[in-house]
């Protein structure tokens, strides 16, 4: 299998390379910009599979497809949730939300190995994807959630939630009243229903509300530590791969 990584954050690219190595997959090349990728793809045989970040340092990676007929299967690595990816059709195998999870990566690779799609040109509606990434105004997000508490149904406004978090394969919310409630669905499922201007997934375990952040502290290995208004059960650390996006989010 010939594999190419296109990722502008070099630490994230190296981490993905190590994760693939653990799956006994050798990466042919790591590229970090639209310009670099164009030059490489113009002068080399296209690989079987490309791990492709959506947002690169010099533009959207879809600009590559405007210049070159890419003949590879694509697995997207992205901080954007799936509603953005539904804006275009292409021969993608899967997409992985950052920070990347080892188990999810293995599932995506196994899916590629099983189906081995026929090589065909990637078709991308760049205008649609740009509109959704820049201004997802048509998306409807959760305003409240209902939770069963014993024999009662409790309604919680979304602005009352400080964070969503996973623990022992279960998902919970922590509210401004300093209470925790068990939810029915996974963290990934809830992330799709939350307004990205209000909520941000800082790592594999936590999604935080912008108004719940009391303090931001520099942490080891270029990470950030968050202090919320009332939640204090475990440390909330913005993973290194997400620090850049987090800083853009709070600005």
């Amino acid at each position: 299998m010939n594999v190419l990584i296109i990722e502008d954050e070099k630490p994230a690219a190296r981490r993905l390379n190590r994760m693939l190595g653990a799956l006994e997959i050798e990466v042919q090349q790591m590229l970090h910009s639209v310009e670099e990728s164009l030059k490489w793809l113009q002068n080399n045989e296209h690989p079987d599979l490309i791990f492709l970040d959506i947002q690169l340092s010099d533009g959207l990676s879809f600009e590559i497809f405007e210049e070159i007929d890419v003949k590879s299967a694509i697995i997207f690595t992205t901080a954007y949730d799936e509603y953005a990816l539904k804006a275009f059709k292409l021969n993608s195998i899967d997409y992985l939300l950052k920070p990347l999870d080892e188990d999810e990566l293995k599932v995506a690779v196994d899916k590629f190995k099983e189906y081995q799609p026929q090589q065909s040109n990637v078709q991308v509606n760049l205008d649609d994807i740009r509109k959704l990434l820049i201004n997802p105004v048509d998306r409807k997000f959760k305003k409240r959630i209902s939770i069963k508490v014993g024999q009662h149904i409790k309604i919680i406004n979304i602005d009352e939630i400080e964070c969503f978090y996973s623990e022992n394969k279960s998902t919970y919310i922590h509210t401004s009243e300093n209470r925790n409630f068990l939810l029915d669905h996974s963290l990934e499922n809830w992330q799709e229903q939350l307004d990205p201007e209000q909520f941000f997934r800082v790592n594999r375990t936590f999604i935080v509300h912008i108004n719940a952040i009391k303090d931001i502290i520099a942490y080891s290995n270029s990470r950030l530590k968050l202090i919320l208004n009332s939640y204090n059960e475990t440390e909330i650390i913005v993973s290194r791969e997400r620090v850049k996006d987090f800083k853009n989010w709070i600005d």
Side-chain angles (χ1 to χ4, degrees), residues 7-31:
E7 163 66 67
D8 68 327
E9 296 183 10
K10 293 184 179 180
R14 290 194 294 266
R15 180 172 180 265
L16 176 55
N17 188 20
R18 291 194 299 270
M19 293 170 71
L20 290 168
L23 298 175
E24 299 183 347
I25 296 173
E26 185 175 350
V27 175
Q28 185 177 0
Q29 185 74 29
M30 291 191 293
L31 306 171

Side-chain angles (χ1 to χ4, degrees), residues 202 208 213 215-217 224-228 236-238 246:
V202 298
V208 301
I213 300 174
D215 197 7
I216 304 172
I217 305 169
L224 298 172
K225 178 179 178 179
L226 304 185
I227 306 297
L228 302 190
I236 303 178
I237 307 298
V238 182
F246 176 80

